[in-house]
């Protein structure tokens, strides 16, 4: 049972436009969310995170929005650049349950078109 | 800045052999995590160590074991290897008393033939 879902396996966006990557979760105990970017043959690179007590976190071109009632979060990249082409993973943590491991979605392959 | 180091980067083993993967966390990080990522899959949490003690256990097979040493490096030991163990194995580290963000190494690609 996939507790973190990224329903779009791939997304194509024109350079300079906004990229929006979506993520849904089912476990109401998740209270910390992270986005990772992954290039082939490399490990996931941490991008941005958000605690469940917030609904928005911004870092440069990256903004994460959290809608707790809908159990939905999204990553906005503005403006999109060619170097943003990668697989993006949404991950969640149940920090209250003593669990350490992150639960990942299956990833969305973002392709930035020139 | 120093990153997580994993060795070896690639490993080829035959069925029923054993393998040992090594991980060197970011200096001063107190927690190490191991993940397995099969082809086309998301990373699956295996096990973690906080201050050299096992902290949490995920979907780690009984054939696998891990430990964290006094210098904070960690090793994942895998025995009786099966074809299905072929995957990318990532180590991550964090300074958990400060934040939940985990920083990943480049991974070890294990191929079992």
């Amino acid at each position: 049972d996939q507790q973190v879902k990224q329903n779009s396996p791939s997304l194509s966006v024109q350079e300079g436009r906004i990229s929006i990557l979506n993520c849904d979760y089912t476990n109401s105990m998740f209270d910390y969310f992270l986005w990772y970017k992954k290039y082939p043959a490399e490990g996931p690179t941490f991008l941005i995170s958000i605690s469940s007590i917030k609904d928005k976190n911004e870092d440069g071109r990256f903004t994460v929005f959290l809608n707790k009632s809908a159990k939905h979060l999204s990553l906005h990249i503005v403006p999109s650049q060619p170097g943003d082409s990668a697989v993006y993973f949404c991950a969640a943590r149940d920090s209250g349950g003593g669990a350490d491991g992150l639960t990942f979605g299956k990833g969305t392959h973002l392709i930035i078109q020139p | 800045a120093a990153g997580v180091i994993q060795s070896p980067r690639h490993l080829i083993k035959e069925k029923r052999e054993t393998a040992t993967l090594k991980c060197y966390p970011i200096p001063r990080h107190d927690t190490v995590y191991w993940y397995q990522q099969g082809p086309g899959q998301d990373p699956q949490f295996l096990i973690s160590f906080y201050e050299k003690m096992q902290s949490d256990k995920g979907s780690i097979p009984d054939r696998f074991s891990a430990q964290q040493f006094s210098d904070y490096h960690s090793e994942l030991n895998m025995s009786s290897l099966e074809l299905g163990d072929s995957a990318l194995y990532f180590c991550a580290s964090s300074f958990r008393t400060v934040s939940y963000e985990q920083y990943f190494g480049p991974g070890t690609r294990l191929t079992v033939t």
Side-chain angles (χ1 to χ4, degrees):
Chain A
D1 178 33
Q2 194 74 18
Q3 296 186 65
V4 177
K5 299 177 185 179
Q6 294 177 257
N7 292 319
S8 298
S10 67
L11 175 67
S12 185
V13 174
Q14 204 162 14
E15 182 179 355
R17 300 284 188 124
I18 181 171
S19 294
I20 300 176
L21 297 101
N22 293 304
C23 177
D24 298 292
Y25 62 97
T26 57
N27 187 342
S28 57
M29 300 302 291
F30 287 147
D31 58 0
Y32 199 82
F33 304 89
L34 308 92
W35 283 94
Y36 285 85
K37 172 181 179 179
K38 188 179 181 303
Y39 293 120
E42 293 185 13
T45 300
F46 169 73
L47 273 178
I48 192 169
S49 61
I50 188 166
S51 163
S52 60
I53 61 173
K54 295 185 175 182
D55 54 17
K56 177 182 174 180
N57 189 24
E58 199 168 350
D59 184 2
R61 296 187 298 115
F62 302 93
T63 303
V64 57
F65 295 92
L66 175 63
N67 182 333
K68 272 187 69 177
S69 60
K71 293 192 177 70
H72 176 84
L73 61 156
S74 61
L75 174 68
H76 293 212
I77 306 173
V78 183
S80 301
Q81 298 174 354
D84 296 331
S85 294
V87 177
Y88 288 78
F89 288 97
C90 172
R93 178 190 163 115
D94 171 9
S95 38
D100 277 350
L102 298 177
T103 301
F104 283 82
K106 292 201 176 295
T108 295
H109 185 193
L110 177 64
I111 301 161
I112 305 301
Q113 305 275 13
Chain B
V4 175
I5 297 171
Q6 289 188 246
S7 68
R9 293 293 310 274
H10 302 273
L11 190 58
I12 300 174
K13 291 286 185 179
E14 294 187 357
K15 281 196 311 183
R16 292 179 289 277
E17 285 192 318
T18 61
T20 297
L21 310 185
K22 296 186 179 183
C23 169
Y24 297 85
I26 292 171
R28 296 194 298 130
H29 278 192
D30 53 20
T31 307
V32 166
Y33 314 79
W34 285 97
Y35 290 84
Q36 177 192 57
Q37 185 180 21
Q41 300 297 314
D42 49 295
Q44 294 289 318
F45 170 68
L46 295 178
I47 195 167
S48 61
F49 293 86
Y50 170 63
E51 287 291 346
K52 293 159 280 184
M53 300 285 289
Q54 184 179 306
S55 176
D56 189 20
K57 207 168 178 181
S59 51
I60 184 169
D62 291 341
R63 299 177 289 108
F64 294 7
S65 65
Q67 56 184 321
Q68 187 177 29
F69 295 85
S70 57
D71 64 352
Y72 288 88
H73 95 273
S74 177
E75 294 183 3
L76 178 66
N77 299 294
M78 310 158 71
S79 63
S80 302
L81 286 169
E82 301 173 357
L83 294 177
D85 296 328
S86 295
L88 266 171
Y89 290 84
F90 290 109
C91 173
S93 72
S94 73
F95 193 8
R96 74 192 283 180
T97 47
V98 171
S99 88
Y100 296 129
E101 291 146 16
Q102 299 181 16
Y103 294 86
F104 284 74
T108 294
R109 180 171 293 281
L110 172 67
T111 303
V112 181
T113 62

